[in-house]
Amino acid sequence: MVSNKMNAQQLAYDYIQERMLDGTYKGGMKLVEERLADEIGVSRTPIREAIKRLEQEGLIKNKKIYSPTAQDLIYIYEMRIVLESFAAKRAAKNMSAEKIIELENTIKEARSLLKEGHSKKIYNANQRFHDLIISECQNPLMVERLEKAQTIFYLFSLRLDIYNRPHLIDEHEEIYKAIKDKNEELAGELMTNHLYKDMNFTLETLGRKGQY
């Protein structure tokens, strides 16, 4: 048994999340604490805490792996489109020179990683691009709502390689240039179009795989 409480909780969280990401734990699957405790080698308490944490992130509901419908995903994307387009406009107006350089670096990193085929690292680089822009909306309620929605996209982005979508990084570069040029309307419009393309790609991919 793992003795340290925090280590045991993190181990349980990582174990469950990894199996959600690789598809071992399918949408709708019920998580049984006793079985997970035996599999991982910890007591039921850290299992319970890990499940609670994943529920707060929106990845588990009623101890079952969350399996959003197509309509659920549309609703979440619509929220992202409204809020992130607003954030992109704010970024074009307010983003500092230092953060603009950080934004550019996420694009360079993603392009480099794409050649090596590191899906998870590509996701992380592209997520930092969005996080930098979201932080510019300077509205804690918006940030909180977007962070919760993004945990769901984390699951599907890695499982379906959504961040290998054609032209995704090119679109990030166009948004970056609009922000650098302080073109607020163009930055918002480009973010809207970018997220609509993400939504359509996600729905088409899930439909082909029969995962909703």
Side-chain angles (χ1 to χ4, degrees), residues 8 11 19 21 23-24 33 46 71 73 76 82 96 108 114 117 120 122 128 133 158 162 187 190-191 205:
L11 177 66
R19 278 146 188 78
L21 294 175
T24 302
E33 291 178 9
Q71 190 60 61
L73 289 170
I76 296 169
V82 171
S96 68
K108 291 178 179 177
L114 189 61
K120 192 168 185 177
I122 294 168
R128 284 198 299 277
I133 293 172
L158 292 182
I162 287 168
L190 289 170
M191 181 64 80
T205 305

Side-chain angles (χ1 to χ4, degrees), residues 96-107:
S96 68
E98 291 78 12
K99 281 196 174 182
I100 289 173
I101 291 171
E102 285 185 56
L103 203 63
E104 183 182 21
N105 287 339
T106 66
I107 296 166

Side-chain angles (χ1 to χ4, degrees), residues 76 79-80 144-153:
I76 296 169
M79 181 185 72
R80 283 190 70 193
E144 182 182 354
R145 286 180 178 270
L146 283 166
E147 284 177 349
K148 188 169 183 179
Q150 284 168 347
T151 59
I152 296 170
F153 290 108

Side-chain angles (χ1 to χ4, degrees), residues 73 77 153 156-157 160 162 165 197-208 212:
L73 289 170
Y77 263 111
F153 290 108
F156 286 99
S157 295
L160 302 174
I162 287 168
R165 174 173 73 76
K197 288 176 182 177
D198 268 2
M199 179 178 72
N200 291 333
F201 184 84
T202 302
L203 295 171
E204 288 169 7
T205 305
L206 285 169
R208 286 196 305 270
Y212 62 71

